[in-house]
Amino acid sequence: MTRTAAYLGIDVGSTTTKVVVLDEGKTLLESQYLRAHGRPRQTLLGAVDGLAERHPGLEIAGVGLTGSGGGPISGIIGGCHVNELVTQARAVGEYYPHSRTVIELGGQDSKFLSVEWDESSQQMVLLDFAMNGVCAAGTGSFLDQQAERLGIRIDEEFQAVALASENPARVAGRCTVFAKSDMIHLQQQGTPLSDILAGLCLALARNFKTVIGKGKKFTPPILFQGGVACNEAVVRAFRSVLRCKAGDLIVPEHHLIMPALGAALTAMDEEQEGRPHPFLGFEHLAESIRKPTKEKVLPQLNPRDPVPAAALTTDGRPSQQAVVEVYLGVDVGSISTCLVLLDGQDKLLARRYLMTAGNPLEAVRSGLLELEKDLDFQARVLAAGATGSGRYLTGHFIGADVIRNEITAQARAAAAIDPDVDTIFEIGGQDSKYIRMHNGAVVDFAMNNACAAGTGSFLEEQAERLDISIKEDFARMALSAPTPACLGERCTVFMESDVVHHQQRGATVEDLTAGLAYSIVHNYLNRVVNGREIGRRVLFQGGVALNHSVASAFEQILGQDVIVPPQTDVTGAIGAAILAREAQEVRGTGADSTFRGFNLTEWEYDASTFICQACPNLCEIKKVVIGDEPPIYYGARCDKFEEAGRGPKDLQEDLCDLFAERESLLLADYEEPAGRTPGRSRVGIPRSLIFNELFPYWRSFFAELGMDVVLSGATSPKTIRDTQDHAEPECCLPVKLVYGHVLDLMERDLDYVFLPSIMDREDPPRGQTHNHYCPLIPASSQLVASHLDIEGSGALPLLFPLHMQQEQVRAKELKPLARQLGLPLHALQAAARAGE
């Protein structure tokens, strides 16, 4: 039999495993692209199984490995381990030598490569590169997670729906958690699914350009590689964000396996140049799976015997009455909506638990209909209570008698379930809470912030990645794990990177699930409880409490029992119903409830949004009109709209807009010059940072010099987009916005752009010798001037350091500005006095 020398290229990534086989003539004999589902080594063995049968006479002459998991596996099977950037450049040079830029987006990694073909060496040279850090936001897993939340198949359905969009929504792309919040808000506004998906694609493309590209030039032809390049909607987004012409952006034929091809080619090069790397065979890999590498592990989780709660019975049955008097509780969260009916003794008569799916009003409407349908008795609602993140909107919609925050509702339910409770842990889909109780009263509490790490959605995402059921498999596997992996307690996307690392080291899925249970608990205790006192009677509430592995992890770490009460996933709704009953008892038995009834199909509502212009926050306000009732507003950072109508009308009319008043005082009678004035130069001042304090000074300063002042426009979405496209430093948004405002000025007819480096101000605080600005404020002018081609716009940047404390120092510092303007120093000194 004729023997054929072959070279294997193996790319073990965070979510997929790629294998290619090349013969000596570099012909591709076989390629495989497989999702690993947390089992990269098993996936690789499956890919190479039967290789000899598929290619009789094949003899492996060399093996090249790359990817995040390539290093550990190369230590087991031998072969040549190659850096991903090298394999990318090698494959691009082989198949697309005319390319100048490479964009690679995989499951958790993103790369930018600037390359150039060197004729003398006949090799592709890597000129510059950038990669994402440990955060996987803006990668393939980012899209996978969002598609999963929306119930969309990522392979075909996602791109088909997204490509139908004509008006993409604005979605945060830097963090998976904030993107999740944006999507929920967009769904609540009724934004079409196609616009949300198209917005996600644009968010990913903008994120790559600003976070990975960081102002680097995307020189065409541009190759777009990796699994994300399969998504035509993302390809369209990159063409839009990078403003590509026809043919500028190319998706290679083998875009899924380019690093693997580069690894095989590199192994071939090494062999031909007399530097062979012995291949030890895949038998050792199978052995490593049977005996995985032991790393730092946590104590094994113990199956739990439930600790009984004390008082509240949650399985009551009504007596055979014609009409049963009940109390309704509704808890509307970002992930789930819960509804319960209690009788007068706080016994649970009925319950519903359903997904909010981004539409709280429809979720509540459906839940009420289903709740009534399940009853085998006629119910008369004496009072209704609402809680949760959507409590105000849904409370108005159903006609709730009581609207209370989640802390109050959870605490009231806990006190009813167990009067001796002193600590409450509550973890839901996106929120987590700590509540300290004393004699039934709340004495301390804390909540997670905007980040949803360490909540139910985090566990669901990881279960999806591991291809297991969160309800049926997770707890069972975690409780059976002999050596739980030590994963830490970081952000969702960082944790995903840690999970991948342990997968590459051979950790089993059981050990990973147990490690994730521990990580939830560590995250909660360190970031929510954060050193606060934990009592001896702890109730664990919320949907995550149904996962017994998490409850067991709490008990292991705290060294004490943790009580998971019955109906723990609807305790918020139970608390709202109890609060409604207590409020009704205060009003008296004759008071009628404002509850509209179980069937709300006849109540139509209209939802719309608008931007509030009252201050620079530019809040997006949601306006909901239910029937003929007055509008309901929510979404503002202040209570401007929520407070409307609560006070006397004459008082409201007397209220002034203090933001507008301050803007008026700052600008005074300033008007932008309509055009050039003969004999007068035009100087542009960015409307950012020191402008908000010193504009009157500089306006008078330049007027005294006979120059017209032109301001950039007020900060707008365009300013922010321009900033994201060009700002290179990692700093706060106010400093970054200088980029956007200077870009605005560069589009105007100017002679100068004024960018002073102001170190400090006059009037130091009492007891101090200086009044310093943040160092980034004086540095911003140098950063912007060095990065943006201001002179190319026809204007010159005016740069000089300036202290505004002492007159004699200022006189010295005005000299370089005088030279730049070609004016005598005494003219600038007179201008400084005018500014004063």
Side-chain angles (χ1 to χ4, degrees), residues 405-680:
N405 62 66
E406 303 99 302
I407 297 293
T408 303
Q410 291 287 353
R412 187 64 192 87
I417 292 169
D418 191 335
D420 295 328
V421 63
D422 55 20
T423 308
I424 301 167
F425 297 162
E426 196 272 343
I427 305 179
Q430 264 199 298
D431 302 307
S432 51
K433 308 171 189 70
Y434 157 88
I435 306 172
R436 190 80 166 96
M437 306 278 288
H438 181 68
N439 294 333
V442 176
V443 295
D444 192 12
F445 72 91
M447 297 179 64
N448 66 326
N449 49 26
C451 180
T455 59
S457 61
F458 165 74
L459 280 186
E460 289 179 357
E461 290 159 7
Q462 300 309 314
E464 173 68 19
R465 283 196 72 258
L466 297 172
D467 199 28
I468 61 174
S469 167
I470 186 67
K471 294 181 179 179
E472 299 174 4
D473 301 327
F474 194 103
R476 173 182 56 80
M477 298 178 77
L479 292 170
S480 68
T483 53
C486 184
L487 299 175
E489 40 87 20
R490 298 190 293 170
C491 168
T492 302
V493 284
F494 294 116
M495 185 65 66
E496 190 165 316
S497 301
D498 287 343
V499 170
V500 169
H501 166 75
H502 282 79
Q503 288 172 355
Q504 314 294 15
R505 302 294 297 177
T508 65
V509 174
E510 288 79 7
D511 289 342
L512 291 174
T513 55
L516 288 167
Y518 269 114
S519 73
I520 284 276
V521 174
H522 283 300
N523 187 292
Y524 178 87
L525 294 175
N526 291 342
R527 299 180 187 275
V528 180
V529 178
N530 194 21
R532 294 176 175 84
E533 184 180 6
I534 297 174
R536 301 307 304 170
R537 193 74 173 172
V538 179
L539 260 63
F540 183 18
Q541 300 177 176
V544 174
L546 295 175
N547 189 319
H548 295 305
S549 65
V550 178
S552 178
F554 267 118
E555 292 180 334
Q556 280 281 4
I557 293 172
L558 297 177
Q560 65 182 77
D561 290 334
V562 171
I563 302 168
V564 178
Q567 312 296 343
T568 185
D569 53 337
V570 295
T571 47
I574 290 172
I578 296 174
L579 291 167
R581 173 184 60 76
E582 293 173 341
Q584 190 266 347
E585 290 172 353
V586 171
R587 294 196 306 270
T589 55
D592 292 331
S593 172
T594 56
F595 178 59
R596 302 183 196 274
F598 289 99
N599 190 345
L600 299 179
T601 54
E602 63 184 36
W603 286 90
E604 296 297 327
Y605 64 89
D606 178 65
S608 60
T609 62
F610 64 93
I611 303 296
C612 174
Q613 303 287 341
C615 80
N617 282 331
L618 300 177
C619 296
E620 188 174 59
I621 310 300
K622 289 78 175 175
K623 176 183 177 183
V624 179
V625 180
I626 302 173
D628 297 328
E629 297 183 355
I632 304 167
Y633 299 96
Y634 65 104
R637 298 185 188 182
C638 68
D639 290 336
K640 175 180 175 66
F641 295 96
E642 286 83 345
E643 293 292 339
R646 295 183 188 174
K649 186 175 181 181
D650 56 346
L651 178 60
Q652 294 177 43
E653 292 175 348
D654 289 342
L655 293 176
C656 61
D657 186 340
L658 296 178
F659 287 103
E661 185 172 330
R662 183 190 187 282
E663 185 80 356
S664 175
L665 289 169
L666 180 69
L667 296 178
D669 59 349
Y670 170 79
E671 291 184 5
E672 183 173 330
R676 278 197 172 269
T677 305
R680 292 176 68 90

Side-chain angles (χ1 to χ4, degrees), residues 113-141:
L113 285 76
S114 176
V115 295
E116 187 174 52
W117 181 256
D118 181 25
E119 288 291 345
S120 60
S121 64
Q122 289 294 294
Q123 289 183 341
M124 185 64 83
V125 178
L126 181 62
L127 302 177
D128 193 10
F129 73 93
M131 301 173 63
N132 65 328
V134 289
C135 179
T139 60
S141 62

